[in-house]
Structures are given as C-alpha cells and as structure tokens.
Amino acid sequence: MAKTRSLPANTTLAPWLGIALIVILFDQLTKIAVMKVFAYATPYTLTPFFNLFVVFNRGAAFSFLAAANGWQRWAFTALGVAAAFVIVYLLKRHGSQRLFCTALSLIMGGALGNVIDRLAYGHVIDFLDFHVGRWHWPAFNLADSAIVIGAILLVLDELRRVRGAR
C-alpha cells in the first residue's frame, strides 16, 4: 500500500481557503475581462474547436431552470452559500487530507464565484465555448471548470481510499 503525504492533523483552514480564494479571483477577473473586450453572444473563434462566446446563464448547469421566473437566482445562491458552509466544516474536520481538501476547495471557489455573479448581475457569465462541427458543449466559465475538476478529484480520492482499504 502506497504511503500518501498529508498535512499535520492541526492544519488550519488557510491553505484550503486560499485555494478557493484564488479560484474566485481568477474566475471574476476573467469574467470582467471578457465582458470588457467581447460583445455579448458574438463568437470569437480561437481554434477550430474553441470560441470565446459571452452568454448569460440564469439557471444552473446546462441552463437548468434558466427559464424560471427568477426564483432560481435566489435558490442557486442559497445552495452555493450552503455548500460553502458545509465545505468549510469538512475542510476543518479533514484538513490533513490533501486531495480531498483540494477538491473541496476547488468546488467551493467555483460555487462562490458563480454566487458572486448571481448576486451582482442576476445571472452567471459564461464564455468558454467548445464545439465539434455544429455541436456545441454548453458555454461555461472558470468557476464551472473548478467545480468539475474538484468533483473529479473527489472521485479519485475515493477510489484511492477504497483501493487502500483492501
């Protein structure tokens, strides 16, 4: 069984909150930059499979509930804030588990990055547009990317934990 390095058990929240803060900062800076440089809903082709394409998402992933009456803004904001509180609790409790806490920090940073958008603008700013021919993946942003990477790391952490328990 491979020995994994972990932080001391008395680790503070600082490194994990720092990761979340970096995610929030880069997410917000990129959103501000694309809003200043690019026109809304006008694709700017960078490669044969990737565009910058500024769109607003009033819903959640894949524009889920985007057409609702507006209540979803507050529901998704509350969900993001609640998730952040749960994540802080888990970070405090499991601060010595590096991969687990890195994953949670990325998820929290992404969730709060999108919460900031919902509070400031009433929608999330998306701008990364990958496509194959005419088929486009739904546009997303750096916060969404951090959430997905965090989720993948959670799965890897669990698989590693399960294999280690054999």
Side-chain angles (χ1 to χ4, degrees):
M1 175 162 65
K3 184 91 171 168
T4 59
R5 294 186 319 163
S6 63
L7 297 173
N10 63 354
T11 299
T12 68
L13 288 172
W16 311 125
L17 296 179
I19 291 170
L21 185 61
I22 289 167
V23 169
I24 293 167
L25 187 66
F26 278 114
D27 175 62
Q28 291 300 304
L29 288 174
T30 57
K31 289 171 180 173
I32 290 167
V34 298
M35 289 300 295
K36 288 192 177 294
V37 174
F38 300 106
Y40 180 79
T42 303
Y44 294 90
T45 303
L46 297 178
T47 71
F49 59 87
F50 176 63
N51 302 325
L52 291 178
F53 184 68
V54 178
V55 292
F56 302 149
N57 182 359
R58 287 173 169 54
F62 306 106
S63 296
F64 176 67
L65 294 175
N69 295 347
W71 62 266
Q72 75 277 22
R73 172 186 183 184
W74 304 110
F76 292 135
T77 297
L79 183 63
V81 171
F85 280 112
V86 170
I87 288 171
V88 168
Y89 168 78
L90 291 170
L91 290 172
K92 193 168 187 169
R93 187 172 164 132
H94 302 282
S96 63
Q97 298 175 23
R98 284 185 147 180
L99 187 57
F100 181 70
C101 289
T102 300
L104 291 179
S105 297
L106 290 170
I107 292 168
M108 181 170 66
L112 292 177
N114 284 338
V115 162
I116 291 168
D117 283 13
R118 290 183 196 289
L119 291 173
Y121 313 114
H123 55 258
V124 173
I125 299 166
D126 291 328
F127 59 91
L128 301 171
D129 174 37
F130 285 89
H131 57 92
V132 176
R134 292 179 182 248
W135 184 83
H136 289 255
W137 188 259
F140 59 98
N141 57 47
L142 292 186
D144 300 332
S145 300
I147 292 168
V148 169
I149 292 167
I152 291 168
L153 291 177
L154 278 179
V155 170
L156 291 174
D157 182 62
E158 187 59 25
L159 289 173
R160 189 181 74 184
R161 195 179 340 272
V162 168
R163 282 192 176 162
R166 287 185 184 179

